[in-house]
């Protein structure tokens, strides 16, 4: 399925499925694996959720709403790209949490280049912004596309310095929603000369919970992530952690222990991030980064069988009870669940999918599952 | 021999031997291993040097000069401590390059405590000096003795902050020679409340080549070395390299890439030094440091057999020619020399000692030897 293109009907069904209740990125792929097509999955969702124990009807995203999203994207010069399509960023497609569709505007070819993320504090110092510009322009001249989150401070400085060589901004809200207001011109410039990316539909106003999700896209499409100035407990450290979880390199710019804006970057270095004082430090390791991502992250193999849990069987009430009894608030691995239940893997897969659709369990990284409430 | 005390006659002979021409720290131990006593080695030196090819008489340090040094030390309240005596700093005694005698003044018991070196730029910033003080006073309160080199800037700040808890200053010149002038009061205070250490005889005016030698004592007696502010190509980086060569930990305080005083410390971290933002980072690893030094550095075993090359045989002219022919300006390992010469190890050991006494070869770290000129 990888490398194909969705037709317009499929694209609408993908969007509907992606935006339906209880469907996350991993579950989306499970549903396609089980039902072959998004349209079939949409038909099956109500019964699945009911089997899983949902006491009311599951909320499906209406076809008209999806049509409206697609039309709005078209009107503003944006479009939705599916996980299995050639324009989708290849490193992002390899991650567990890759969204089924992303909305893009600008030059899609930038998404096929080697990318480096530069992120950092919104309340950056003048020195921090200067460092972000220096790193960004030199990485750009070395042939790397600079990815960031279009926030104030470090993000904006990194984008600005890479406008001429190529920059990708991943925004937390809809691709056409200006945020923050002072970056309006920059957002427009990137939509024309660079590439804007969002997993939200156009018009979505960004909320607090969208920012960590945005960070996972930044880390996921990049070979490595550079953090320039970050306090402790900042979004940039979340991006760095997500990069490490995806086996990508994290670089951090050091600073004086007397400078609170360096607390986060110094801590990253203490915990294994590479200290970077100039773009050369990153450029020197890029070929190693490419190799590592290619060797250690699974290449995207399409939607049907990339994780070996694509076999489903019909589950009965007793199976559901047995699996449910083994789940608790602490995440357990799917393999343990299968072993301890004594049930066949396809049966457990089916039960898990039903419980997910009912909103009763939650997925954690690494095929782990936990009860919700 | 370890744990004994030298009598006054032996101490004088040790001083004479140590200060005689072509006798370095390693050769000193070879000579004691071969001849048993310093007095016997002194008698043998002229013939050894002649056998090795020295065309003139080797210069022995006169007995009267050594007596004068000992009297001068006594007069200023200092004394010489031998490598095999209980007051000698134990971690220093384990290093290859431990001087046969050091001159000390103040509280010798400090030399038996766990020590951490704090070194850095003479032209330190106010922030750097503040960091040095913070690290030093907190390490002191945690029970560690702070070692440094009594230079301007970072060194002086580190000593001052540890005067109450215990500090050791290793000076490049004689223990009674004030250098630099502005540290006169500090030097006096350490001589009373801390401990001053020098491998030079009293009255020696420090020369440029004494400073790297001094740095090796600082690194050698310490569990680890913290570098606070250092430019590239600075003496502090030499101390750090010496610490690494002796399998001790190196800590470095990071700084902004825009601050030239942080170039050296940032580079150290890039090359594997531990990033330290507070004394806790060092304290947390002290027990690990103690274990590592105890496991990986050889304990001082006395002078006779600590390196397994203490057997000597009589060498003839043909043996000397064969060994000499195998030596070049690039260092070769003693083991290779023995193997390639086809001679017995005790014969090669004897030839090497003669060539050293003749000033024709030079020792490099790791039992490696090279022709001089």
């Amino acid at each position: 399925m990888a490398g194909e293109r969705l037709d317009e009907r499929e694209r609408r069904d993908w969007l509907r499925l992606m935006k339906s209740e209880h469907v996350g990125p991993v579950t989306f792929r499970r549903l396609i694996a089980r039902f072959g097509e998004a349209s079939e999955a949409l038909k099956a969702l109500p019964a699945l959720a009911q089997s899983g124990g949902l006491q009311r009807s599951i909320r499906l995203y209406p076809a008209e709403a999806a049509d409206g999203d697609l039309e709005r994207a078209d009107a503003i010069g944006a479009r939705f790209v599916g996980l299995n399509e050639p324009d989708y960023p290849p490193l992002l497609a390899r991650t567990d949490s890759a969204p089924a569709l992303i909305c893009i505007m600008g030059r899609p070819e930038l998404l096929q280049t080697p990318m480096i993320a530069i992120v950092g504090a919104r309340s950056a110092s003048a020195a921090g912004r200067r460092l972000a510009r220096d790193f960004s322009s030199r990485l750009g001249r070395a042939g790397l596309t600079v990815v960031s989150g279009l926030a104030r401070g470090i993000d904006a400085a990194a984008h600005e310095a890479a406008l001429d060589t190529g920059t990708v901004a991943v925004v937390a809200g809809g691709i056409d929603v200006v945020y923050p207001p002072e970056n309006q011109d920059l957002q427009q410039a990137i939509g024309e000369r660079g590439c804007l990316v969002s997993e939200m539909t156009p018009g979505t106003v960004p909320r607090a919970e969208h920012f960590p999700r945005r960070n996972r896209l930044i880390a996921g499409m990049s070979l490595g992530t550079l953090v320039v100035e970050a306090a402790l407990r900042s979004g940039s450290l979340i991006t760095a952690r997500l990069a490490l979880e995806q086996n990508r390199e994290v670089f951090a710019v050091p600073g004086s222990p007397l400078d609170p804006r360096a607390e986060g970057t110094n801590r990253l270095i203490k915990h294994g991030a590479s200290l970077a004082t100039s773009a050369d430090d990153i450029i020197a390791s890029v070929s190693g980064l490419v190799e590592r991502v290619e060797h250690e992250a699974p290449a995207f193999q399409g939607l049907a069988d990339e994780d070996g849990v694509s076999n489903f069987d019909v589950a009965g009430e007793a199976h559901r009870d047995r699996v449910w009894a083994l789940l608790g608030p602490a995440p357990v691995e799917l393999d343990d669940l299968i072993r301890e239940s004594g049930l066949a893997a396809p049966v457990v897969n089916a039960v898990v999918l039903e419980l997910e659709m009912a909103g009763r369990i939650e997925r954690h990284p690494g095929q782990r599952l936990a009860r919700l409430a």
Side-chain angles (χ1 to χ4, degrees), chain A:
Chain A
M1 213 163 169
E4 298 182 10
R5 284 189 186 276
L6 300 169
D7 67 30
E8 288 319 295
R9 167 82 190 278
E10 285 173 320
R11 196 178 310 278
R12 188 195 66 178
D13 291 339
W14 273 46
L15 189 55
R16 286 191 67 197
L17 184 59
M18 173 173 113
K19 296 197 59 149
S20 289
E21 194 179 11
H22 300 150
V23 179
V26 176
T27 320
F28 183 96
R29 287 188 268 185
R30 288 283 182 293
L31 289 165
I32 297 289
R34 175 152 186 189
F35 298 103
E37 302 278 344
S39 55
E40 295 302 315
L42 285 163
K43 283 182 206 155
L45 277 195
L48 277 181
Q50 195 174 24
S51 301
L54 189 65
Q55 305 292 321
R56 53 166 176 78
S57 297
I58 191 169
R59 283 189 290 270
L60 302 184
Y61 196 64
E64 304 71 37
D67 284 333
D69 293 332
L70 291 162
E71 284 160 20
R72 180 161 180 172
D74 196 48
I76 60 174
R79 61 192 171 89
F80 286 92
V81 175
L83 181 57
N84 60 340
E85 294 189 295
D87 281 343
Y88 199 91
L91 294 191
L92 181 61
R94 295 172 175 225
T95 66
D96 275 351
S97 55
L101 290 165
I102 54 173
C103 185
I104 69 170
M105 184 192 297
R107 295 167 52 203
E109 65 271 25
L110 287 176
L111 303 177
Q112 304 304 312
T113 60
M115 292 187 254
I116 293 285
I118 301 182
V119 299
R122 289 189 298 278
S123 62
S125 71
R129 289 197 301 272
R130 177 179 151 191
L131 283 164
R133 282 194 299 271
D134 288 352
F135 273 100
S136 181
S137 62
R138 294 195 52 195
L139 291 170
R141 287 199 301 273
L144 295 159
T145 295
V146 172
V147 184
S148 194
L150 201 66
R152 297 182 187 92
I154 298 298
D155 286 22
H159 285 304
E160 281 162 7
L163 263 178
D164 287 340
T165 53
T167 189
V168 171
V170 185
V171 297
I175 214 163
D176 55 342
V177 175
V178 170
Y179 186 85
E182 64 263 47
N183 285 349
Q184 173 158 21
D185 290 349
L186 182 58
Q187 187 164 348
Q188 188 178 341
I190 296 172
E192 291 163 3
R193 298 160 60 192
C195 191
L196 290 171
V197 172
S198 172
E199 63 175 318
M200 298 294 147
T201 45
T204 306
V205 175
R207 292 198 307 268
E209 68 266 31
H210 294 158
F211 291 90
R213 295 182 61 175
R214 183 269 316 264
N215 293 346
R216 128 192 159 260
L217 299 199
I218 293 173
M221 66 180 66
S222 303
L223 287 165
T225 294
L226 170 69
V227 185
V228 184
E229 283 193 345
L232 297 179
R233 284 175 295 281
S234 63
S236 305
L237 298 196
I238 294 175
T239 310
R241 182 174 54 74
L242 294 166
L244 288 175
E245 282 177 7
Q246 292 161 8
N247 201 37
R248 310 294 165 82
E249 186 77 359
V250 175
F251 302 90
V253 178
S256 166
L258 301 176
D259 179 1
R261 291 187 181 94
E263 285 180 11
T265 54
N266 285 342
R267 175 176 288 192
L268 283 173
I269 297 165
K270 274 185 205 171
H271 290 87
S274 297
L275 184 151
T277 52
S278 83
D280 292 338
D281 294 325
I282 297 167
I283 293 163
S285 49
V286 163
S287 62
L289 297 180
V290 172
E291 268 181 38
R292 193 166 73 178
V293 171
E294 286 181 350
H295 278 80
E296 301 186 15
F300 178 62
Q301 298 289 338
L303 294 160
D305 52 6
E306 89 271 23
D307 47 18
V309 288
S310 53
N311 290 316
F312 295 89
D313 202 343
V314 176
E317 201 57 47
H319 301 141
R320 282 179 209 112
D321 291 347
R322 204 183 304 182
V323 171
W324 179 247
L326 290 169
L327 287 162
V332 294
E333 292 194 16
L334 179 61
D335 284 348
D336 291 338
L337 205 58
I338 292 168
R339 195 175 52 247
E340 293 188 26
S341 69
L343 299 172
V347 171
V348 176
N349 288 339
V351 172
V352 164
L353 195 58
E354 289 167 1
L355 292 171
E356 284 187 277
M357 287 307 101
R360 295 174 68 196
I361 61 172
E362 170 177 52
R363 287 199 168 267
H364 291 257
Q367 300 270 34
R368 294 180 308 145
L369 303 158
R371 274 195 199 190
L372 269 173

